[in-house]
Amino acid sequence: MFQLEAKKPSVCESEPLANEGLRATLPVFRGIVTSSYGPTGRLKQLHNGVGGHVCTTSQSTALLRGLLVTHPVLKILTTSISNHVACFSDCGLFVAILCCNLIENLQGINVTPAAIIELNKLLLSLCTRYLSSEACGCRVPVDFSSAHILLCLVRSVITSKPACALSRKEADHISALVLRAFLLTVPEQAGDCITLGKIITVPLKGHKVIDSTVLPGILIEMSDVQLLRLLPTQNSSPLKVALFCASLSGELADTGGGTLVVSYGVCLQRAVLDQLLSLGRQLVSDHVHLVMCQKVIHPSLKQFLSEHRIIAIDRVGGALMEPLSKMTGTQPIGTLGSISPCSYGSVKDLSPAKFGSKQFFHLVPNEVTVSSLLLGGRSDTAWDELKLTCDTALHVLQLTLKEPFVFLGGGCTETHLAAYIRHMTLTEPGSILKNESHSPAELQLIAGAFCRALESLASSLEHDGGGALTDLTYGHFWALPSDSPPLASWPDVLSRCGCGLHGSQEELNWSFLRSPHHPFLPQSSLPPEAAGSARSLTLDCFSAKLNGLRVAVDTANLILDLAYVIEDKN
């Protein structure tokens, strides 16, 4: 029997930001993301109540995947962050913290929501113009003739994820490998349109991180017995390759709902085997050296190919089909009939490779369009986090190739930008407001909340009870150690600014972050060549951070503008 239930009416909630449930959960969410931010961020362990997979992480991608959010306003926030991370891979926590800070700072201001949103948009426009301009003091151009800036950028991404549990030596090693793997994907001959190669991550779980390496080409894991049987005899280079996406197992194809008509006396298994052997004879006559199949190859066909000194590898799986086709230049063959000559490709060489306890068949390409990153890890959890971090670093490098700039990291861009906004809103409010019907006083009120949100974001990098300072020349962020003597001179207790560009021995004046001081125009740090020669810099991805700023402000505006939430309870 069916039981019919009356449809429940939708629930309409006015002023959702005043809701007690949201007022309780939004600070909790803000606390989770804030405490996870930066190289010393606190780790979070995600698991369900009945067992299953346990994830230890501080990355926004994994956090949002494991958090169950029910309130509609929080869903808007998490969806915006997830969409940003899906496109840029980096700066997810940056978006989350800045958006939460803006909502918190702007809620209690005695200005209409419409005015807050309009002024926020003007401030966002001011920020994006400045950050994209040549005059920006926290933007560094990337010189591709040197690897220094790129290596600092990769190292900044790697070291910002403490769940990877890497030592300094291991972080430097992985950073160099990721950069090398990326450079292998860049074609030597650049035309009007550049197509980057592909990187395949090969897990070496349980092995030392320092044993990780990168190789051009593709590695196919197999047992010792398989490898000995498939070791090639000396062949001329290049080696001809055939790649099959169709099964060569000899099993009959599924006829679905149809009927298969067979003549009397015909043995289907024998007929299919004859067809496979006929295919093998064509491969021999076409002088193929290597046959790879996504699925299974019939033992008789394997034996036939082996007798004619053709290497046969099956069960390569669907994940490797696209990279294999890209690297070898083959067109995957989906039929057992006659093969077109244009379907074949080639590789430069074949060789065995051993890493730890694993054996691999190494396909060396004629031109490096695919490379393999063999990644070690102490445990499954640490390896999963490191794999996600390396993927992020590779994507950041791709974005940097498209827009060759980086931002100074370690909180320096945020405090520098806050100083610039304060200066502009005080000295040139008319250039910001233009013909808008808002007063300079309203602009300074909203700008103050906007700048405090940026400065709070920079302060979120400090998790050990230390102080947060800014210098009054460049507007950079400085972390004051928690164990500093109370009467000590600041140049004696400070080391370098957050990005590492400036040292405390320079003639600078400091002020506690968010403490009253006269607005000033922050100077451009140093010429690009000085940034390139700095020993170790903390850098952020230009594209990801600039888009993250837009997403954070736009999402905060959307949430602040909500008057009603209508929720369907059915």
Side-chain angles (χ1 to χ4, degrees):
M1 289 181 64
F2 294 99
Q3 185 176 357
L4 298 177
E5 292 185 5
K7 189 176 181 180
K8 298 176 183 177
S10 298
V11 176
C12 181
E13 178 187 353
S14 63
E15 298 186 4
L17 291 178
N19 178 272
E20 290 299 325
L22 182 61
R23 284 180 176 273
T25 55
L26 189 59
V28 172
F29 178 80
R30 180 177 179 273
I32 291 172
V33 293
T34 301
S35 62
S36 302
Y37 193 47
T40 60
R42 303 316 190 223
L43 304 183
K44 306 296 179 289
Q45 195 171 75
L46 306 173
H47 58 91
N48 57 36
V50 293
H53 179 69
V54 176
C55 174
T56 303
T57 187
S58 63
Q59 297 199 51
S60 59
T61 307
L63 284 172
L64 294 180
R65 192 168 53 229
L67 287 176
L68 177 62
V69 175
T70 56
H71 196 282
V73 173
L74 279 180
K75 284 182 179 179
I76 293 173
L77 176 55
T78 55
T79 301
S80 295
I81 301 166
S82 297
N83 290 340
H84 165 79
V85 173
C87 294
F88 294 89
S89 296
D90 198 21
C91 294
L93 293 178
F94 169 87
V95 176
I97 299 169
L98 181 56
C99 186
C100 290
N101 288 349
L102 287 169
I103 294 170
E104 180 181 333
N105 291 353
L106 293 167
Q107 262 187 283
I109 292 182
N110 189 24
V111 179
T112 63
I116 290 175
I117 291 166
E118 288 177 12
L119 291 169
N120 262 348
K121 289 179 179 178
L122 292 176
L123 292 172
L124 175 61
S125 179
L126 173 68
C127 292
T128 53
R129 282 199 309 271
Y130 176 66
L131 293 174
S132 303
S133 70
E134 294 293 332
C136 179
C138 54
R139 189 185 75 159
V140 180
V142 177
D143 179 11
F144 287 102
S145 65
S146 170
H148 177 69
I149 293 292
L150 294 176
L151 191 58
C152 288
L153 177 61
V154 175
R155 189 188 293 115
S156 300
V157 175
I158 299 293
T159 55
S160 68
K161 315 301 182 200
C164 296
L166 300 179
S167 65
R168 184 179 181 85
K169 182 180 178 182
E170 290 170 338
D172 289 344
H173 178 65
I174 292 296
S175 300
L177 283 184
V178 169
L179 179 57
R180 185 183 168 208
F182 169 73
L183 293 176
L184 285 173
T185 66
V186 180
E188 295 180 7
Q189 303 296 328
D192 294 334
C193 182
I194 297 176
T195 302
L196 297 179
K198 190 174 180 65
I199 298 171
I200 300 171
T201 304
V202 180
L204 294 177
K205 295 182 181 180
H207 293 80
K208 296 178 181 177
V209 175
I210 210 71
D211 292 336
S212 303
T213 188
V214 62
L215 293 173
I218 294 177
L219 294 168
I220 300 176
E221 186 178 353
M222 53 186 56
S223 66
D224 295 350
V225 176
Q226 287 176 306
L227 195 63
L228 287 172
R229 190 175 71 245
L230 294 176
L231 277 177
T233 55
Q234 202 66 26
N235 282 312
S236 59
S237 182
L239 307 176
K240 202 169 187 179
V241 178
L243 179 64
F244 286 87
C245 58
S247 174
L248 302 180
S249 64
E251 295 180 356
L252 294 176
D254 185 11
T255 60
T259 303
L260 187 64
V261 180
V262 181
S263 301
Y264 179 76
V266 173
C267 176
L268 285 177
Q269 287 75 15
R270 184 64 198 174
V272 173
L273 184 57
D274 288 343
Q275 189 176 15
L276 288 175
L277 294 177
S278 174
L279 178 69
R281 284 189 285 272
Q282 182 180 353
L283 294 170
V284 172
S285 65
D286 288 343
H287 305 290
V288 173
H289 302 98
L290 173 64
V291 174
M292 291 181 288
C293 182
Q294 177 182 346
K295 301 174 183 177
V296 179
I297 300 178
H298 194 284
S300 298
L301 179 57
K302 274 188 180 180
Q303 180 65 29
F304 176 83
L305 295 173
S306 178
E307 289 172 355
H308 290 82
R309 301 169 73 180
I310 298 177
I311 302 167
I313 302 175
D314 61 354
R315 304 177 193 269
V316 298
L320 283 180
M321 290 300 290
E322 182 190 350
L324 282 169
S325 177
K326 185 182 184 71
M327 187 188 80
T328 60
T330 56
Q331 296 179 10
I333 303 165
T335 177
L336 303 185
S338 179
I339 302 173
S340 169
C342 64
S343 297
Y344 296 126
S346 65
V347 293
K348 183 178 180 180
D349 197 11
L350 307 168
S351 63
K354 183 175 182 179
F355 296 93
S357 59
K358 292 187 175 184
Q359 297 277 2
F360 297 93
F361 203 74
H362 184 198
L363 279 68
V364 183
N366 296 307
E367 182 182 351
V368 182
T369 54
V370 179
S371 58
S372 296
L373 176 62
L374 292 99
L375 201 57
R378 296 181 180 86
S379 63
D380 287 353
T381 301
W383 188 90
D384 291 342
E385 186 79 355
L386 183 57
K387 164 69 165 60
L388 186 58
T389 303
C390 289
D391 289 343
T392 299
L394 288 167
H395 192 190
V396 161
L397 288 170
Q398 292 171 359
L399 293 170
T400 305
L401 187 63
K402 187 176 180 181
E403 292 188 275
F405 299 97
V406 291
F407 283 129
L408 298 175
C412 290
T413 291
E414 288 84 342
T415 52
H416 178 95
L417 185 59
Y420 176 78
I421 294 171
R422 282 199 172 97
H423 171 79
M424 291 297 292
T425 53
L426 179 67
T427 60
E428 301 180 37
S431 65
I432 302 170
L433 291 172
K434 296 178 181 176
N435 297 322
E436 297 288 338
S437 57
H438 302 292
S439 67
E442 286 180 323
L443 174 63
Q444 289 188 30
L445 196 62
I446 302 303
F450 197 101
C451 293
R452 288 195 301 274
L454 287 169
E455 291 167 341
S456 294
L457 175 59
S459 300
S460 300
L461 291 165
E462 173 57 48
H463 301 281
D464 298 315
L469 306 175
T470 182
D471 68 82
L472 303 181
T473 302
Y474 303 108
H476 281 215
F477 174 79
W478 299 74
L480 185 67
S482 57
D483 56 354
S484 302
L487 300 179
S489 173
W490 279 345
D492 296 333
V493 295
L494 297 174
S495 175
R496 302 194 73 81
C497 66
C499 68
L501 193 56
H502 297 290
S504 61
Q505 299 309 311
E506 300 178 33
E507 295 183 0
L508 300 174
N509 294 316
W510 290 271
S511 171
F512 278 105
L513 210 57
R514 299 188 300 277
S515 66
H517 59 263
H518 193 272
F520 65 99
L521 179 63
Q523 296 180 19
S524 178
S525 294
L526 288 172
E529 56 271 17
S533 62
R535 184 182 58 179
S536 181
L537 293 174
T538 300
L539 301 172
D540 288 328
C541 176
F542 175 81
S543 301
K545 196 153 204 173
L546 193 58
N547 187 77
L549 177 63
R550 294 190 185 103
V551 171
V553 176
D554 288 344
T555 304
N557 284 345
L558 175 61
I559 292 173
L560 289 167
D561 197 31
L562 287 176
Y564 294 92
V565 171
I566 302 173
E567 192 174 1
D568 187 358
K569 291 293 185 178
N570 292 288

